[in-house]
Amino acid sequence: MKGKSLTAGVTLILLIVALAGSSEAQRPDPNSEESRIREGFRIAPVPLRVRGNNRDLVGLGSYIVNAQAGCNDCHTNPPFAEGGNPHEGEPEQINTDGYLAGGTTFGPFISPNITPDENGRPAGLTFGQFLRVMRTGHDPDDGHILQVMPWPVYGKMTRRDLRAVYEYLSAIPSIDSEE
């Protein structure tokens, strides 16, 4: 009897160790694209219209725009809602009423509205036009080089990441603005 209970105890310990190891292996990699997509949906400050867009790219684009690229800092004026400025020690609250609708002044330059137009195109741009702006910095309206936009950095992003940003910007609410 003693041998059976020892064998059962060892078997139980091995089973627990095996299950613990398998649950560890089943946990998603926190640095995986899947984790970034999930986080992107979690941190999106506005409701997203995913229908008609690639869901994974929308989530990934939100992660890039809201956790890495800082688009809100220049393309939302002001970037934070009243009482929600983390630079003043307040709990962060994005200005969703003006989210990515432009209007921030940088000397003679004003950041444009990059929300979707009536056709669902961010800033009214096709993906090809958007890609050109992000890669070359050429303003789609007049061809001049964008002086404030950090396109030399964003232009190094992969085509898939830029497509994700475009898909995300296509999925956010459109905001009419004067710019």
Side-chain angles (χ1 to χ4, degrees), residues 151-162:
W151 61 267
V153 174
Y154 299 146
K156 293 177 182 83
M157 294 170 65
T158 67
R159 182 181 179 92
R160 178 172 170 75
D161 283 352
L162 289 172

Side-chain angles (χ1 to χ4, degrees), residues 110-148:
I110 299 174
S111 66
N113 180 344
I114 58 174
T115 67
D117 67 5
E118 64 278 356
N119 299 310
R121 295 177 174 171
L125 303 175
T126 65
F127 178 65
Q129 292 167 324
F130 175 81
L131 195 59
R132 182 172 187 259
V133 169
M134 298 300 279
R135 295 256 193 253
T136 69
H138 286 92
D139 186 308
D141 293 330
D142 61 19
H144 287 94
I145 297 289
L146 297 170
Q147 297 298 312
V148 179

Side-chain angles (χ1 to χ4, degrees), residues 7-174:
T7 302
V10 169
T11 302
L12 181 61
I13 290 171
L14 289 175
L15 181 61
I16 291 170
V17 169
L19 288 175
S22 69
S23 67
E24 183 71 27
Q26 291 176 0
R27 287 188 191 145
D29 175 359
N31 298 314
S32 71
E33 184 169 281
E34 179 185 326
S35 293
R36 293 173 25 184
I37 290 167
R38 246 191 333 273
E39 182 68 4
F41 279 112
R42 190 187 73 72
I43 65 174
V46 294
L48 301 175
R49 190 188 82 255
V50 178
R51 189 174 186 175
N53 294 305
N54 179 309
R55 184 181 191 290
D56 286 351
L57 290 180
V58 170
L60 179 60
S62 174
Y63 182 79
I64 293 167
V65 166
N66 297 302
Q68 294 178 317
C71 302
N72 186 61
D73 296 343
C74 297
H75 289 280
T76 305
N77 186 22
F80 303 104
E82 190 171 328
N85 187 339
H87 299 288
E88 295 178 7
E90 302 164 342
E92 181 183 83
Q93 180 60 49
I94 301 294
N95 171 13
T96 57
D97 291 338
Y99 182 67
L100 302 181
T104 303
T105 303
F106 298 93
F109 308 106
I110 299 174
S111 66
N113 180 344
I114 58 174
T115 67
D117 67 5
E118 64 278 356
N119 299 310
R121 295 177 174 171
L125 303 175
T126 65
F127 178 65
Q129 292 167 324
F130 175 81
L131 195 59
R132 182 172 187 259
V133 169
M134 298 300 279
R135 295 256 193 253
T136 69
H138 286 92
D139 186 308
D141 293 330
D142 61 19
H144 287 94
I145 297 289
L146 297 170
Q147 297 298 312
V148 179
M149 170 75 176
W151 61 267
V153 174
Y154 299 146
K156 293 177 182 83
M157 294 170 65
T158 67
R159 182 181 179 92
R160 178 172 170 75
D161 283 352
L162 289 172
R163 183 66 199 205
V165 169
Y166 186 84
E167 288 284 318
Y168 172 72
L169 295 176
S170 298
I172 65 174
S174 179

